[in-house]
Amino acid sequence: MSTSKTNVSLKQLKSSLLLLLAAIVWGAAFVAQSVAGDSIGTFTFNGIRFIIGGICLLPFIRKQGTKITSISREKLLGGVLCGTALFLASTAQQAGIAMGAEAGEAGFLTACYIVLVPVIGIFLGRKCSGIVWIAVGITLAGLYLLCFQSFPRNGLLSMSGANLMLLLCAFLFSVQILGIDHYAPTMSPVSLACVQFFVSGVLSCLMAVFTEVITDPSGWAASLSVPSAWIPILYTGIFSSAVGYTLQAVGQRDLNPTLASLIMSMESVFSTLFGWLILGQTMTARELLGCALIFTAIILAQVPLPQNDKKKLKGDYL
């Protein structure tokens, strides 16, 4: 094997390990969010953690020689739109967890965005391969097993409010991902992430003032006065947001996008693992089968097509 091929292989191995570490960090974040959901308001939690994440990225922006104030109005608009989508998605996610969804369940339902992204792309004029439709069907079967606790009686289905919020979260994250896909080529990825973190953080804090601070000021202050409350906030702010994003940005540079997204989707597996190890959460055989089907769909949606099929769908979602 030539030296150049060896160097490429080493770079790809390093990138794969960085993305795997990012998936581990994000998987553990679901545990932190579960702990925070028991005592801290959704908007307060998200507001503080995203602002911390934005602050942590500021040094990277300065290292690139860029200032937030020097970003053009058009690029700022992209960051604002992506940040608004992130605010809505993270609110739905944290609300679902606070309503009782377990870490593993939240991780797998959130991961459905990997299948939803190409489906939503159809409404934007992009074609979708047959393999993605198969993945969507498998996902629906998995969601049925995971979200509906029993077979329908009298032809009626019932889904918990927590699961509905997490499915909404997956849809909103799909919108956010499509927004980043559109705006990322026009500005630095780190700058885009920093802007969207601050936008999401500020919107969350504003909502916290009206829905959590004013309605119960003493209870709000008490929830943040406990030192243990800051552990999940700091973890999700520093590691899940700032460190996780940096690992993703560095890892994707030397890796095939399909392989990269596949590795990152492992966060759903780690969320279940950490939920079991740290919180003692368990899942029924029915729910585990649902998770297995969803993860199978996630993998299937990212299987590369033959070259002839790629040419037919060039520029579209494969």
Side-chain angles (χ1 to χ4, degrees), residues 178-196:
L178 289 170
I180 291 178
D181 179 68
H182 178 75
Y183 287 105
T186 66
M187 64 187 297
S188 161
V190 177
S191 299
L192 177 58
C194 189
V195 172
Q196 72 170 346

Side-chain angles (χ1 to χ4, degrees), residues 14-15 18-19 247-256:
K14 179 181 177 182
S15 297
L18 289 175
L19 291 179
L247 289 171
Q248 179 190 7
V250 175
Q252 282 194 248
R253 288 187 301 184
D254 299 307
L255 207 61
N256 179 282

